[in-house]
Amino acid sequence: MPELVYSTKIKAMPKVNDFVVKFANVNGSGSASANNMFAKAIFRMGIPVSPHNIFPSNIQGLPTWYEVRISEDNYLGRREGVDLMVAMNEQTIKADIQSVVPGGYVLFDSSKALANDLIRDDVNYLPLPLKDICLREFEKPAQRQLFKNIVYVGALAAFLNIDFKVLTEMVSEQFRGKEKLILPNIHALELGQKYVSENFEYPLPLQLKKSNKTAGKILIDGNTAVGLGCVYGGATIASWYPLTPSTSVVDSFGKYCNRLRIDPGTGKKKFSIIQAEDELAAIGIAIGAGWNGARAFTASSGPGVSLMQEFLGLAYFSEVPVVLFNIQRVGPSTGMPTRTQQGDLFSCAYASHGDTKQILLFPSTPKECFEFAADAFDISDRLQTPVIVMSDLELGMNEQICDQLSWDDSRVYDRGKVLSAEQLEEIEKFGRYQDIDGDGIPYRTYPGTHPHKGSYFTRGSSHDANAAYTEDGDVYAEVMDRIALKFETAANYLPKPEISNQAKQPLGMIYLGTTTGAIQEVLDSLAKKGIALDTLRIKAFPFHQSVKEFVNDHELVYIIEQNRDAQLKSLLKIECNANEEQMHSILSYNGLLITAQHIERDILDSMTALENAKDVPA
């Protein structure tokens, strides 16, 4: 068997602040905090970093990966290929080593020799006897397992030139109040650093150099940002049923409410979080609270949203505001609960039976998760209808770099057309579903506003403009037409698309949500090949008129989305009457975030196919 030592014979291109490190661990081994420390240390060095946690849906024992993209150019989408693999899982080590690019590195626990079939002659091996080091230095078995992870972070600090002071400061902060844990963790970091300094030439050609590209930025996950956005957006009621990957939305809301929503005089809570018996009950509670005048929400994912469909139809038809956060995951059925996808576009756009249409918002960063969460309550109140914020697991559960969150303290909540007792006094007769202003949005009242005026039946059955029961088909049609008009009015209140088409290129690209992270990298790479594209990022549904105009203005538009059935493309065909021949789908649905390399390959292949088709005689 080849001697496993670090070798300079296998040349690696020097890379500074531009490479991918991937950790392969076993779920439940305590690696998560160590790997997270690694990513945050790079962020604190001022270097843009993008961590992606790829984990199983069971509690313990299955493989888990933590992928860290480092990019001085701020390309924070996933990248194909691994420059340095920290291979700590025997179950997956063969595939893990195969994913390393030629000239890359494999750091492994050399307490046990690698099998012959794991030796590649085009990568560098970094053997560290982690188990032996921990057996010698730590007495308790639990410590040996946990500190093994910290030791390899210390080794990476030497290999990659991480500022060691940053790591020790992070340990001190993490265990503040548990001082007896600080010194052992720092000792474990020093063990890894010391072993590298005594046994290897270091640092590697892969190196980190302090930068200032993260100044004014924060690292936060989308679900945490959503929870905080709900607090600032005025939500007081959260009803939920736990479901991966949405659970931390309500956890975050509760954490911030306990800091910001406690009456300082009485100590009483000024919010309510209700764990319901299932998803039906969860959204029913939220709708009831919205009907009563509270700002209420629930959070779920695909399977839970499927169960909520009938109640969403009730809120649509009876025109009750409610906010739903759908943190999408891989479906159908149970699917892959801990993998990401954009597979719920169709089911949410037309959620429930009959002629329904729902308001959808598509955040692409944690900052937008915060902003769209707050905005969703204004939009829902103004339009008197459900609003579904379409995040996904990648955005919701992974920390990402974004601008600092901000809030205008002078902002006033938009409660929409709600009549006060004084206004009711001036009205001869109140009709709950009358369109007074011609925008499709009726006036409503809160329960108990007036002793005699403003009451009405809220029903899911057919009703007329005064909320009275009817089975007159023509009257029903009038109500449905008025609700449809409301969704035309919605364009005035929804976030407009982000468009870059000043160059008026013949080719365009439409995308939404977490596909955004790959787009700038694609554009820059194609530009080097002399190819330019206009772009449009969708932020909301129903689509703004400019979306239709964008498709019509281009010979070919690439539709980037993360599902199998091209759901966004189908919505564009239905809602914008877009020409099938003007659109080309680029799809990814393996549960991982789409890469710039995937998008670029598809674009180049399609362009080649188009050129070849032009050369074929008619």
Side-chain angles (χ1 to χ4, degrees), residues 5 30 51 58 72 131 176 193-194 240 268 305 321 374 397 429 432 473 523 612:
V5 295
N58 78 333
E72 181 84 6
K131 183 177 179 181
R176 185 174 291 126
Q193 185 190 48
K194 182 172 183 286
W240 67 306
K268 290 184 178 180
V305 174
M397 296 191 72
K429 182 180 180 182
R432 170 64 180 95
L523 295 174
N612 291 339

Side-chain angles (χ1 to χ4, degrees), residues 6-8 10-17 19 103 105 124 159-160 201-208:
Y6 168 65
S7 172
T8 56
I10 305 163
K11 296 297 182 183
M13 288 292 292
K15 295 182 178 180
V16 177
N17 295 353
F19 50 90
Y105 297 85
N124 298 286
F159 280 133
L160 303 178
E201 296 177 19
Y202 71 101
L204 303 178
L206 305 178
Q207 290 186 36
L208 298 169

Side-chain angles (χ1 to χ4, degrees), residues 213-496:
K213 294 292 182 68
T214 62
K217 306 286 186 179
I218 60 172
L219 264 179
I220 188 173
D221 65 83
N223 283 357
T224 296
V226 164
L228 186 58
C230 290
V231 174
Y232 275 84
T236 57
I237 307 291
S239 53
W240 67 306
Y241 184 80
L243 186 68
T244 301
S246 66
T247 300
S248 56
V249 168
V250 180
D251 289 342
S252 172
F253 177 71
K255 177 182 72 175
Y256 288 117
C257 280
N258 279 315
R259 288 172 53 186
L260 303 171
R261 286 274 175 81
I262 303 294
D263 185 276
T266 65
K268 290 184 178 180
K269 294 180 178 180
K270 297 190 287 184
F271 65 95
S272 179
I273 298 176
I274 305 155
Q275 181 172 334
E277 62 266 32
D278 55 30
E279 288 87 353
L280 274 79
I283 194 165
I285 292 167
I287 291 170
W291 172 87
N292 204 39
R295 289 195 154 184
F297 73 93
T298 187
S300 194
S301 190
V305 174
S306 294
L307 291 172
M308 296 176 178
Q309 298 270 320
E310 186 175 359
F311 261 140
L312 284 167
L314 170 66
Y316 169 87
F317 194 43
S318 60
E319 301 180 68
V320 178
V322 66
V323 176
L324 165 62
F325 296 94
N326 181 3
I327 317 301
Q328 297 169 91
R329 71 188 206 189
V330 173
S333 189
T334 304
M336 292 194 289
T338 57
R339 298 290 189 271
T340 198
Q341 206 169 71
Q342 295 173 327
D344 298 348
L345 304 188
F346 231 81
S347 66
C348 288
Y350 306 116
S352 197
H353 54 279
D355 293 319
T356 55
K357 186 181 291 186
Q358 307 292 356
I359 304 291
L360 310 182
L361 303 179
F362 301 103
S364 66
T365 65
K367 182 175 175 63
E368 284 191 341
C369 284
F370 171 78
E371 293 170 346
F372 285 14
D375 292 345
F377 294 99
D378 277 356
I379 295 167
S380 185
D381 273 349
R382 165 53 61 180
L383 297 172
Q384 300 174 31
T385 198
V387 172
I388 307 175
V389 181
M390 304 288 285
S391 181
D392 59 32
L393 184 145
E394 173 65 36
L395 177 56
M397 296 191 72
N398 286 310
E399 290 188 321
Q400 299 184 24
I401 291 179
C402 69
D403 294 331
Q404 294 184 26
L405 310 184
S406 60
W407 183 258
D408 181 358
D409 287 332
S410 66
R411 175 170 169 172
V412 177
Y413 297 142
D414 183 353
R415 299 311 302 260
K417 297 181 177 181
V418 180
L419 295 174
S420 66
E422 292 76 13
Q423 290 170 319
L424 284 169
E425 281 290 346
E426 298 173 1
I427 296 173
E428 184 176 341
K429 182 180 180 182
F430 169 69
R432 170 64 180 95
Y433 298 113
Q434 291 179 1
D435 184 6
I436 305 299
D437 303 322
D439 59 3
I441 306 172
Y443 285 83
R444 64 181 175 128
T445 60
Y446 296 145
T449 298
H450 192 283
H452 309 296
K453 290 184 178 180
S455 61
Y456 60 93
F457 280 105
T458 304
R459 59 178 87 243
S461 56
S462 180
H463 50 261
D464 64 15
N466 293 315
Y469 175 79
T470 181
E471 291 194 19
D472 185 320
D474 292 335
V475 173
Y476 160 81
E478 288 175 3
V479 172
M480 291 297 286
D481 288 342
R482 195 261 309 155
I483 294 176
L485 174 60
K486 181 168 68 172
F487 280 77
E488 294 179 21
T489 302
N492 299 319
Y493 301 102
L494 302 183
K496 291 179 172 55

Side-chain angles (χ1 to χ4, degrees), residues 27 62 193 212 546 566:
N27 198 33
L62 287 183
Q193 185 190 48
N212 62 354
S546 58

